[in-house]
Amino acid sequence: MSFFMTGKTQHIGQLGVYRVVTTDDQTTTLFSEHFNEACHSTSGALAETIHNYIQALDIAQKAQIPDNTPLNILEVGLGLGVGLKATLDSLISLGPKWRRPLHYYALELDPLLVDIAKEHNPLLSGAFPDYNDLLPFEFGLQASKGLHRLTLLLGDARLRLPEFCRTHPELKFEAIYQDAFSPKQNPSLWTLEWFTLLRSLASPTAELSTYSASQSVRKTMLAAQWSVQSLVGFGRKRQATKALIDGQSDPELLKLLDHERVQILRD
Ligand SMILES: C[S@@+](CC[C@H](N)C(=O)[O-])C[C@H]1O[C@@H](n2cnc3c(N)ncnc32)[C@H](O)[C@@H]1O
């Protein structure tokens, strides 16, 4: 929904002002004054999300595997809910080929963004819980509908994610949307410690994708024992990055990173 429809040009969250920006595909994003950055590419918030996460991680294909185990997706940064809405829309469009229950976990530092996500990207799918179903629990907000589940882990992801996962030792994520603000503006979610934590919570076939093609980020992922591959980027970005548990790194990329004098990012 664009700001022409809501009439609002900005929102106030716990972290300050978010300005509403209409992107080239007519979907909206937010510019955070706190992080001094927009949540998405101005070339298209929804199109970027579909490119970098839904398609890069073959979400529709993962949801069609005929088994009853939940498809556990972790999104790093709920933001204004574009990732969640795009995921759900892609599964709904599968019709009866959508086989596995969706368990969607999103991390978010600013709890007021949940209301903003609800306003900009309402879910209302019928099958999956929507924002109005969410109830408070120890780590944030949670709702279930049938076999589907939505869990919003609110607070600093570096604390909340390990705290929550300690109470769910069996939980492993199969797809991870690494969608924090950029390494420059949001460095704490791009470190060796962060990618090591994500690796410890990843399923044996897990895949992670991100819009970032930073060589430091890629080197940091490798140091955290992920294999790293280059993806085609969205909009003006030439490349994006995919990291895998079970898979080989791009040999060309390894050679390049070997020669690059880039630092591993640490807390
Ligand atoms: C680029 S935006 C995410 C956009 C979102 N994926 C979407 O589709 O709308 C990054 C988000 O990460 C959140 N964030 C930043 N630092 C965080 C932290 N330490 N813990 C949890 N969330 C954080 C920000 O508040 C922001 O909403």
Side-chain angles (χ1 to χ4, degrees), residues 2-257:
S2 80
F3 75 93
F4 297 113
M5 290 165 81
T6 66
K8 285 192 191 150
T9 56
Q10 66 175 45
H11 298 278
I12 312 290
Q14 226 169 58
L15 294 176
V17 173
Y18 297 91
R19 291 201 302 274
V20 177
V21 177
T22 302
T23 65
D24 290 351
D25 67 0
Q26 299 308 307
T27 59
T28 50
T29 189
L30 297 176
F31 182 93
S32 159
E33 289 193 353
H34 177 83
F35 286 101
N36 195 27
E37 202 166 271
C39 281
H40 299 91
S41 157
T42 53
S43 303
L46 177 61
E48 180 193 26
T49 302
I50 292 171
H51 178 95
N52 284 334
Y53 304 108
I54 314 300
Q55 290 174 345
L57 296 176
D58 296 318
I59 294 300
Q61 197 250 324
K62 286 180 169 62
Q64 291 180 59
I65 297 169
D67 79 34
N68 292 325
T69 59
L71 170 55
N72 293 323
I73 297 179
L74 177 68
E75 180 179 35
V76 182
L78 172 75
L80 64 159
V82 181
L84 171 56
K85 175 111 173 87
T87 302
L88 200 52
D89 287 350
S90 98
L91 300 192
I92 289 167
S93 73
L94 291 175
K97 289 194 282 180
W98 176 9
R99 301 289 288 272
R100 299 171 66 194
L102 174 63
H103 287 193
Y104 196 97
Y105 300 83
L107 297 158
E108 183 47 61
L109 183 59
D110 188 337
L112 295 182
L113 280 181
V114 178
D115 292 331
I116 298 171
K118 178 174 154 185
E119 181 179 328
H120 284 266
N121 291 297
L123 299 172
L124 309 173
S125 80
F128 192 77
D130 82 72
Y131 290 108
N132 297 317
D133 299 318
L134 289 166
L135 293 173
F137 82 124
E138 193 183 345
F139 304 100
L141 295 165
Q142 197 167 47
S144 298
K145 207 174 214 182
L147 296 174
H148 304 299
R149 187 175 303 160
L150 173 60
T151 305
L152 306 182
L153 301 173
L154 303 178
D156 189 334
R158 291 170 305 165
L159 303 173
R160 203 57 80 239
L161 182 61
E163 279 169 8
F164 173 73
C165 289
R166 265 197 293 280
T167 67
H168 294 74
E170 76 299 340
L171 175 61
K172 296 288 174 199
F173 301 107
E174 199 172 323
I176 301 177
Y177 305 173
Q178 170 66 22
D179 198 24
F181 286 112
S182 68
K184 192 159 162 247
Q185 305 296 3
N186 201 182
S188 64
L189 294 183
W190 299 92
T191 63
L192 178 60
E193 292 78 5
W194 177 247
F195 289 117
T196 302
L197 171 66
L198 293 183
R199 197 191 186 291
S200 73
L201 301 174
S203 79
T205 58
E207 298 182 324
L208 171 155
S209 67
T210 180
Y211 64 88
S212 174
S214 144
Q215 303 298 37
S216 304
V217 165
R218 290 170 165 183
K219 206 162 194 169
T220 304
M221 289 170 164
L222 278 175
Q225 309 295 314
W226 289 87
S227 297
V228 180
Q229 299 177 354
S230 185
L231 295 174
V232 174
F234 174 79
R236 283 184 285 278
K237 285 184 89 69
R238 271 196 316 121
Q239 294 187 356
T241 304
K242 184 165 178 172
L244 308 111
I245 300 291
D246 178 27
Q248 299 294 313
S249 291
D250 228 324
E252 287 303 309
L253 193 56
L254 286 182
K255 231 188 281 169
L256 190 77
L257 290 174

